[in-house]
Amino acid sequence: MTRVVRALGTHTLGLLELLGAMALLQLRITRALFPPRYDARETWRAFYKVGVKSYPIVIMTALFTGAIMVIQSGHFVAKSGATSFVGWAAGFAVLAEIGPILIGLMFSGRVGANNTAELGTMVVTEQVDALRALAIEPIHYLAVPRFLAMIVMLFLLTALGDLFALIGGAITADLMVDIPMKVFLRQVFDAQLLDEYLLGLLKGSFFGMAIAVVSCHYGLTVRGGATGVGRAVNAAVVAAAIAIFVADFFVGVVWTVLSK
Amino acid sequence: MSVSIRDAGQEQLIVATGLYKSFGGEPILLDVGVEVFRGRILGIIGPGGVGKSLLMKMLAGLVEPDAGDVTVLGQSLQSLNASGLARVRDRMGFLFQNYALFDFMDVGQNIAFPLEQMGVPKAEITRRVAERLAEVELPGIERLFPNELAGGLKKRVALARATIAGAPILLYDDPTAGLDPVTSSKIFELIRRLHRPDGATVIVGHDIDRMVAVCDEWLLLHEGAVLFRGTTEEGRASSHEVLKTFFMETGMLGAAA
Amino acid sequence: MSSLAPTPATAEPQKRAKRPIPRQSKANRPLLYPLAAFRRGATLFLETLLWCIKPGALKRRRRQILEQLFVIGNKSVVFITVTLGVLGLISVFQVLVQVERILPDFSMIGPAFIQIMTREFAPTMAGLMIATRVGSGIAAEIGSMVVTEQVDALRMCNADPVDYLVMPRFVASVIQTTLLSIYGCVIGVASGFIAAGLFWNIPAGTFFNLQLVAYGDVVSGLMKAVAYGMAVPIVAAQAGLETSGGSEGVGTATTRAVVNASFSVVVLDFLLSGFSFLFLSKGPM
C-alpha cells in the first residue's frame, strides 16, 4: 500500500515539475517577445523550414480526412436518407474538430519531433553551451524563432488544410456517396460553418503553441547522448499529443461557452 | 580470379575480388581484392574513413558489394541462399567496433547466444560460457549487463562471444578503438591466443605498433584501392611515400624488438 | 617476428585496376522514393508474415511476444485513456451544442455517438496514439541497435533480425491495438456520457443504447484496429532498420516513423472506411 502511495506521489510530483518547467519556458519565451528580443533572421529561417517541411504531409492528411468524414456521414445518410445532412456533418466535423486535430498530430510528428531531435543533438554536442559562451541566449536564438514559426505556420496550415479537406470530401461525395461535388460544396456553404472554421483556426494556433513549448522543452533538456535524443523525441511526441487533446478540450469549451 | 602466383599451393579461406561500393553516388571502395590464407593473421590498415570496416563487413556478407565477389571457404557469398550463408557464418566470428553486445541480455546470455542459435544443449552452453569467460580473464560475470561494464571489459565480452562457437575464421573490426594502451595490449594478446593455426584471423585497426607483433601480413587501403599487400619486412623495405608513413613512423617499435 | 613464413611477393603498390561498372539502383530518383519505400515496406510485411506462420514460430518467440505485449500495453493505456477520454468529452459537448439549436430531441445522440466511436474514432484515434507512442519507440529501439551494430551481430549469429526483432513486435502490436481500441471505445463512450449527463442531463438509459450499432460497424472497427496494429510496427521497424549515421540517424528514424506510421493509419482508415461503406453497410451500390 505504501509503495502504491509513494509511486503515486512520485508520479504526481514529476508531472507537476514537468508542467512547471514548461510554464517557465513559456514565460521566458513570452518575455523575450515584449519588447522583441529574438533573432529576426533565425526566425525567418524557422518560418521557411517549418512551412516547407510540413505542408506536403498536412495537405495529404487533410485530403484523406475530408474523404473519411464524408464516408462516415454517408453511413448515416444511407440509413436515414437525409442527403442534405452530409455537407453539414462532414463540414462541421472537419472544420471544428477532426481537421485541426489530425493536422496538429501530423505537424507534431513532422515538425515537433524534428525540433526536439535538432535541439537535443545541439545540446548533446555542446552547441548550446557554445552559444551561451558567445553570450547568445539560447531561448532568444533557438526557442523563440521556432515558437513563432510553429504558431503562425500551424495556423496557416490549418487554414489551408481545411480547404483541402473539403476538396477531398467533395471528391469522395461525388464518387462514393452519389452527391455531386457542386451540391456537396453548396451544402457546406449553406451550413454556415464560418464559426467552426474560425474555431478550428484558433485551435490550430493553440496546438502550434503547445507543440512548440513541449518540443523545445524536451529538446533543451536532453541528457545522456544519442539514446537520450531518441528517448526525448519519443517523450516529446507523446506529450505533444496529450497537449493537443487537452488544448482542444479547453479551447472548445471556452469557445462554446462564450459564443452561446 | 586474380590470385597471384606467389600464393599458389597455400589454401585461401577468404578470397574477395573487384569489390566496389558507393554510398549516395560517392564511391568508397573502387576495386578491392583480399586473400586470407589458412594459418595467417592479416592486418588491414589505412587512413580513417577509407572503408576498412566496410570491407570487413563485406567479407562476412553483412554488406553486399555493388560489384565484385566474396568467396569464403570455397563458397561465393553472393550466390548463397539464407541457409547456405548461415552455414558459412557458423564458421566465422566477428568482433564489432562498437562491441555490439545486446543490451537487453546479460553477459552470459550474450555469449551463449551464438550457441543457442546452433541448438547446442543447455548444460554444455553454460559450461562453455564459463570456460570462455575465464579465457578472457573475466570469470563469473555472467549476470552483469553490458551497460554496467567499462569499454575494455565490454570488448573482452564481445571477444568471448565472437569466439565461443570455435569458428576457424575470426574477423576483428578495430579491436582496440578507444581503449587505453594497457587494455589494448591485453586484447591483442588474447587475439593471438585465440587464433587457430588451422583457421585465419583478420584484424582491421589503427594501432600498428601493437598489430606488428601479431600480424603476418598486411593490406593497406588507400583511396578506395589496395595500395600494398605483403609482409611486414616488405612493407618496411618499400620506398612508397604512403607506405613509409605507415610503417616507418608507427612500425619501428616492432622492428626494434 | 621471426616466426613469419617468408612469402615471395611484390612490395610494389598495386596498379589500380579499371573501375568496374556498378549496378545502379533505379530508386535513386527522387520521384520514386515513396514508391521504393512502399515496396520495401511491403517486402518487410510479407517477410514478417512468413516468420509468423512458420510452424512453431510463435511458440519459439513466446517470451519476446509476451514482453512486447506488456511493453506496448504499459506504454499506451494511460495515454489512450487521456486522449480518448478528452476526445469523447469534447465531441459530445460540441455536437450537443449544435444539435440543441436544431432539434430538441437528444435521444439519438448516445446511439449515434456509440456507433461512430465503434466504427471510426475509437480504432483510429487509438491507432494514431499507438503510432505515436509505440511506433516511435520501435524505431528508436531498432535504430539504435542498427547504429551500435547489434543488428549486424544478430545476423552474424544467424538470428534473422526480422524473426528476432520485428515478428514479436508485430504479433504483440496486432493483439494490443485490437484490445486497446476496444478499451478506447469504452473510455470514449463513458466520457461522452459524462458530458451528456453533466451538461444536458441525458439519462444513462437513453445514452447507452446500442440500437444503431450493427454487425458491420463492429466488423469495420475491428478490421481497422487489426490493420493499424499490423501497419504501425512494420512502418516503424522499417524506419529503424534503415537507420544510418550515428545518433542523428536515430533521431531522424524516430521522426520518420511517427509521421509515416500516423499517415499510414490515416490512409488505411480511408481505404477501410470506403470498403465498409460500400460492402458492409446497406449503402448505395
Side-chain angles (χ1 to χ4, degrees):
Chain A
M1 192 59 204
T2 32
R3 272 236 317 274
V4 175
V5 173
R6 190 178 303 148
L8 213 66
T10 322
H11 274 108
T12 316
L13 280 181
L15 189 64
L16 287 176
E17 202 181 316
L18 182 68
L19 289 175
M22 285 194 205
L24 205 65
L25 180 62
Q26 172 74 65
L27 199 73
R28 289 170 71 190
I29 290 174
T30 317
R31 276 230 323 260
L33 292 172
F34 309 105
R37 270 175 305 183
Y38 53 90
D39 195 297
R41 245 200 356 212
E42 189 63 24
T43 307
W44 186 241
R45 233 184 358 237
F47 269 83
Y48 179 76
K49 258 173 70 183
V50 167
V52 166
K53 217 178 268 167
S54 52
Y55 86 90
I57 190 78
V58 162
I59 286 174
M60 291 299 284
T61 308
L63 280 172
F64 280 110
T65 309
I68 293 163
M69 287 306 125
V70 165
I71 296 174
Q72 291 302 342
S73 25
H75 270 284
F76 287 109
V77 174
K79 280 179 184 134
S80 63
T83 331
S84 62
F85 170 77
V86 170
W88 175 79
F92 177 80
V94 163
L95 297 178
E97 186 68 28
I98 302 303
I101 284 196
L102 281 181
I103 290 171
L105 285 174
M106 282 296 169
F107 188 86
S108 161
R110 190 82 189 85
V111 176
N114 203 289
N115 185 36
T116 306
E118 216 173 78
L119 290 180
T121 309
M122 288 185 78
V123 169
V124 169
T125 55
E126 299 181 315
Q127 293 177 57
V128 174
D129 289 335
L131 280 179
R132 280 209 190 89
L134 294 167
I136 296 170
E137 175 54 46
I139 301 277
H140 296 178
Y141 189 78
L142 296 175
V144 177
R146 287 146 206 260
F147 179 79
L148 290 175
M150 285 194 214
I151 294 178
V152 174
M153 279 303 157
L154 192 47
F155 175 86
L156 291 177
L157 285 170
T158 312
L160 187 72
D162 278 352
L163 301 182
F164 273 92
L166 292 181
I167 293 173
I171 295 170
T172 314
D174 200 330
L175 293 178
M176 291 184 72
V177 197
D178 291 330
I179 301 173
M181 239 182 260
K182 244 188 179 155
V183 177
F184 174 80
L185 290 175
R186 176 92 292 180
Q187 284 175 16
V188 174
F189 284 118
D190 286 347
Q192 294 179 328
L193 294 166
L194 185 63
D195 272 9
E196 278 68 27
Y197 187 54
L198 293 178
L199 169 62
L201 295 187
L202 187 70
K203 281 182 177 178
S205 320
F206 272 93
F207 295 169
M209 194 158 85
I211 293 167
V213 173
V214 168
S215 66
C216 284
H217 169 78
Y218 279 98
L220 290 172
T221 52
V222 164
R223 237 174 287 155
T227 32
V229 176
R231 221 177 300 130
V233 171
N234 202 333
V237 284
V238 171
I242 291 181
I244 285 174
F245 279 98
V246 173
D248 180 60
F249 178 73
F250 282 112
V251 175
V253 169
V254 170
W255 175 277
T256 318
V257 169
L258 288 183
S259 65
K260 227 175 183 177
Chain B
M1 241 182 274
S2 71
V3 181
S4 51
I5 303 153
R6 64 172 169 125
D7 301 315
Q10 289 178 344
E11 196 187 348
Q12 299 151 316
L13 297 188
I14 303 179
V15 183
T17 49
L19 296 179
Y20 178 96
K21 183 82 186 172
S22 70
F23 283 104
E26 183 86 17
I28 307 291
L29 298 179
L30 292 176
D31 176 22
V32 175
V34 183
E35 294 153 273
V36 182
F37 297 97
R38 191 184 285 281
R40 301 285 183 76
I41 301 183
L42 173 70
I44 299 180
I45 52 176
V50 76
K52 301 187 292 288
S53 295
L54 184 68
L55 175 60
M56 196 71 139
K57 286 193 178 173
M58 283 182 182
L59 298 185
L62 290 170
V63 174
E64 200 164 318
D66 293 339
D69 189 64
V70 178
T71 305
V72 178
L73 297 167
Q75 312 231 40
S76 164
L77 295 187
Q78 273 71 34
S79 63
L80 284 176
N81 61 6
S83 65
L85 196 59
R87 269 197 302 279
V88 172
R89 280 192 182 139
D90 278 344
R91 319 216 50 209
M92 290 175 134
F94 199 114
L95 177 71
F96 291 90
Q97 195 170 5
N98 303 307
Y99 322 111
L101 293 174
F102 304 123
D103 41 27
F104 50 92
M105 296 181 188
D106 64 24
V107 167
Q109 289 167 328
N110 257 294
I111 301 174
F113 190 73
L115 295 180
E116 273 169 19
Q117 289 300 115
M118 291 171 162
V120 177
K122 260 219 165 72
E124 195 191 333
I125 290 181
T126 322
R127 186 180 55 76
R128 276 170 73 176
V129 168
E131 242 174 56
R132 189 54 45 161
L133 270 175
E135 199 152 351
V136 297
E137 294 161 30
L138 294 170
I141 63 160
E142 282 97 334
R143 293 277 81 83
L144 291 178
F145 274 84
N147 57 10
E148 298 171 281
L149 303 176
L153 302 191
K154 272 192 214 169
K155 246 330 167 339
R156 271 144 77 187
V157 172
L159 205 60
R161 187 180 67 186
T163 55
I164 181 96
I169 300 177
L170 297 171
L171 309 173
Y172 301 106
D173 188 1
D174 214 344
T176 56
L179 298 183
D180 63 89
V182 177
T183 316
S184 301
S185 299
K186 215 176 247 171
I187 297 279
F188 274 115
E189 178 51 41
L190 276 170
I191 288 176
R192 187 155 59 175
R193 217 163 59 211
L194 293 166
H195 170 67
R196 281 171 54 170
D198 61 333
T201 300
V202 183
I203 307 171
V204 160
H206 300 99
D207 197 355
I208 297 170
D209 279 342
R210 286 190 185 77
M211 282 168 75
V212 160
V214 190
C215 296
D216 309 320
E217 285 186 312
W218 300 89
L219 191 131
L220 174 59
L221 274 185
H222 188 70
E223 291 177 352
V226 177
L227 186 70
F228 165 75
R229 190 190 336 228
T231 62
T232 314
E233 283 79 17
E234 289 160 2
R236 291 222 178 86
S238 168
S239 56
H240 195 279
E241 274 309 308
V242 182
L243 266 175
K244 264 180 164 170
T245 54
F246 267 91
F247 279 101
M248 291 302 156
E249 286 171 16
T250 54
M252 286 320 278
L253 258 175
Chain C
M1 293 308 302
S2 55
S3 64
L4 249 181
T7 27
T10 46
E12 286 310 303
Q14 298 187 332
K15 285 263 152 43
R16 183 176 296 175
K18 61 183 188 312
R19 191 186 291 194
I21 301 148
R23 294 191 282 270
Q24 270 295 339
S25 160
K26 281 198 187 94
N28 283 339
R29 276 180 253 153
L31 263 179
L32 293 179
Y33 273 156
L35 216 71
F38 180 78
R39 221 183 52 195
R40 290 197 304 275
T43 315
L44 181 59
F45 176 62
L46 290 179
E47 240 178 281
T48 312
L49 276 187
L50 279 181
W51 279 111
C52 285
I53 57 169
K54 217 166 195 192
L58 296 178
K59 208 173 156 194
R60 199 158 40 88
R61 295 267 166 268
R62 195 176 53 201
R63 202 172 54 82
Q64 279 107 323
I65 292 172
L66 285 174
E67 210 175 279
Q68 291 300 325
L69 274 173
F70 176 75
V71 168
I72 295 174
N74 192 33
K75 270 182 173 175
S76 318
V77 166
V78 177
F79 191 37
I80 283 178
T81 310
V82 172
T83 49
L84 271 145
V86 173
L87 185 80
L89 276 179
I90 190 69
S91 304
V92 169
F93 185 79
Q94 278 177 342
V95 167
L96 277 174
V97 169
Q98 287 299 315
V99 171
E100 204 173 27
R101 294 176 186 163
I102 310 166
L103 313 158
D105 176 25
F106 291 159
S107 62
M108 289 315 281
I109 290 300
F113 181 67
I114 294 173
Q115 186 199 18
I116 198 146
M117 272 314 258
T118 310
R119 196 176 59 208
E120 170 65 23
F121 289 123
T124 302
M125 284 298 157
L128 280 172
M129 294 306 115
I130 286 168
T132 304
R133 185 83 179 101
V134 177
S136 65
I138 290 176
E141 219 173 359
I142 296 184
S144 59
M145 284 187 72
V146 168
V147 169
T148 56
E149 300 181 304
Q150 288 179 56
V151 171
D152 277 338
L154 278 178
R155 290 166 66 200
M156 268 329 276
C157 299
N158 290 324
D160 192 307
V162 176
D163 172 33
Y164 208 82
L165 299 175
V166 184
M167 191 270 267
R169 287 169 174 78
F170 178 81
V171 174
S173 164
V174 172
I175 296 171
Q176 278 294 29
T177 310
T178 311
L179 294 179
L180 286 166
S181 293
I182 297 169
Y183 170 74
C185 190
V186 171
I187 291 288
V189 170
S191 59
F193 170 69
I194 293 176
L198 222 60
F199 296 109
W200 282 273
N201 295 319
I202 298 175
T206 318
F207 193 87
F208 294 113
N209 185 330
L210 299 179
Q211 71 180 88
L212 283 184
V213 181
Y215 171 73
D217 298 321
V218 177
V219 171
S220 172
L222 286 177
M223 218 162 55
K224 284 178 183 174
V226 171
Y228 305 153
M230 287 178 168
V232 168
I234 295 294
V235 171
Q238 190 195 350
L241 287 172
E242 287 173 8
T243 303
S244 62
S247 59
E248 264 183 65
V250 180
T252 316
T254 312
T255 315
R256 202 167 36 168
V258 175
V259 176
N260 290 1
S262 306
F263 189 64
S264 57
V265 167
V266 172
V267 174
L268 282 173
D269 184 14
F270 168 71
L271 293 176
L272 291 174
S273 290
F275 174 82
S276 59
F277 176 68
L278 292 177
F279 300 110
L280 291 181
S281 73
K282 290 159 213 90
M285 293 287 279

